[in-house]
Amino acid sequence: MHTLNIYAGMKHFKDLNDEIRNCTDKDIIIDNCIGQRYIGSGLRDKNIVINGTPGNALGSYLDGCTVRVYGNTQEATGDTMNSGTIYIHGSSGDATGYAMRGGKIFIEKDAGYRTGIHIKAYKEHKPAIVIGGSAGSFLGEYQAGGTIVVLGLNTNSKTPVGRFCGTGMHGGKIFIRCDELPFDLPVQISAKKADKSDIDEILPLIDEYCEEFNFDKNIIFTKDFYVLTADTKNPYKQLYTRN
C-alpha cells in the first residue's frame, strides 16, 4: 500500500491540512512538523505518523484515525475527539483531551495543566487518557465520564499529579499509581486503593501503553493504584444559575 510522505517544514497549517484531507492515501508520514495546528482535525480512516512538534488541537474531532507523534504535542491535543487513537512519544501540553467524547490518548511522558477537562462518555464511546509520567494541576476537571490513568513513571513525586485533581468531577474514574492517596482532593471526590476488579478494568489500557512504548509491564505493578470517583453522597453542585 502506498504511503504519502509530506515534508511540513514552513508550510502553512491550512495548506498542510488540505493536503492531508484531499489525498487518497490511507497512510501518511509528516516530517519536520513545526507547530502546524489542527493536524488530523475531523479525519477518519487514516494512519498518520508525525515527526516533530504539531501545534494546538492535534486530532481535534478525530473520528477513527490512528495518529502517532514522535515528539511533543502542544495544547488541546484530541480536543472533542470522537474515536481513534493518539500515541504521543513525548509529553503533551495543557488541556489534552479537552471535552473528548471517545477514543484514546496515550502519552509516554508528562501531561500539562487541566488534562482531561470535561471529558465524557458519549453514547457507545468511552474515552480514555493514559499518562506515563506526571500530570499537572486540575487533572480531570469537570470530568463526566471516561477513564484517566496516571502511571507516575520516572518521577520522584509521591503523588504524580498536581493540585486540585478532580475539581468538579461528577462522573468517570481517575486511576493514580502512587505510594499514598493524592493530596488536596476536592470534597466531592471519593478515593480508595484499587482492588483486582479495578485493575482488571484498566489492564487493557496498561497493556496497550506498554506495547506502544516498549515498557515492562511488571514495573508498573511494583506500586499500588488508587481510584478516584465522584462521591454520590456529596455530589458536585453546578455553580450556574438561571437568569
Side-chain angles (χ1 to χ4, degrees):
M1 184 176 294
H2 184 262
T3 299
L4 176 65
N5 288 270
I6 300 174
Y7 184 84
M10 299 304 293
K11 283 187 179 181
H12 192 277
F13 75 93
K14 290 184 179 179
D15 296 331
L16 177 59
N17 285 318
D18 284 344
E19 189 171 354
I20 295 168
R21 189 173 296 108
N22 295 329
C23 76
T24 58
D25 301 280
K26 181 175 180 180
D27 299 313
I28 300 169
I29 297 175
I30 303 171
D31 288 320
N32 198 36
C33 186
I34 308 176
Q36 286 90 350
R37 294 179 284 165
Y38 307 120
I39 295 176
S41 178
L43 281 185
R44 61 178 63 187
D45 300 327
K46 290 184 183 293
N47 300 309
I48 301 175
V49 173
I50 301 173
N51 297 306
T53 304
N56 297 347
L58 167 74
S60 60
Y61 298 94
L62 197 70
D63 200 7
C65 286
T66 298
V67 179
R68 283 184 170 84
V69 180
Y70 292 93
N72 300 323
T73 64
Q74 298 184 34
E75 287 78 11
T77 293
D79 177 3
T80 324
M81 66 184 287
N82 295 303
S83 62
T85 307
I86 300 174
Y87 300 103
I88 302 168
H89 289 251
S91 297
S92 67
D94 297 339
T96 296
Y98 178 87
M100 65 188 292
R101 299 174 291 188
K104 295 178 288 186
I105 300 175
F106 292 87
I107 304 160
E108 183 179 17
K109 297 180 181 178
D110 302 323
Y113 182 73
R114 282 183 165 146
T115 293
I117 180 173
H118 287 300
I119 72 169
K120 52 187 171 292
Y122 180 70
K123 294 184 177 180
E124 72 276 12
H125 300 293
K126 185 178 180 182
I129 301 173
V130 180
I131 302 162
S134 60
S137 298
F138 290 97
L139 174 72
E141 185 179 22
Y142 304 118
Q143 181 178 353
T147 303
I148 300 173
V149 181
V150 182
L151 298 177
L153 304 170
N154 302 318
T155 176
N156 295 322
S157 173
K158 289 184 178 180
T159 55
V161 295
R163 297 173 67 85
F164 315 117
C165 176
T167 295
M169 181 181 184
H170 51 283
K173 295 181 180 181
I174 298 175
F175 293 82
I176 302 174
R177 175 181 171 271
C178 57
D179 294 321
E180 59 187 31
L181 284 174
F183 57 85
D184 288 334
L185 289 177
V187 68
Q188 83 278 1
I189 297 299
S190 294
K192 66 164 188 170
K193 186 177 289 188
D195 58 26
K196 184 180 182 303
S197 65
D198 296 317
I199 297 300
D200 288 344
E201 182 178 339
I202 61 172
L203 194 55
L205 295 172
I206 292 174
D207 285 340
E208 190 167 354
Y209 177 93
C210 291
E211 181 177 358
E212 177 67 23
F213 301 117
N214 193 27
F215 195 83
D216 184 356
K217 184 170 70 173
N218 293 321
I219 294 175
I220 290 176
F221 292 107
T222 58
K223 283 187 179 182
D224 291 322
F225 281 84
Y226 288 85
V227 55
L228 280 55
T229 55
D231 187 348
T232 57
K233 295 180 180 178
N234 190 17
Y236 166 73
K237 295 181 180 179
Q238 292 282 357
L239 299 180
Y240 303 113
T241 58
R242 293 181 179 178
N243 291 329

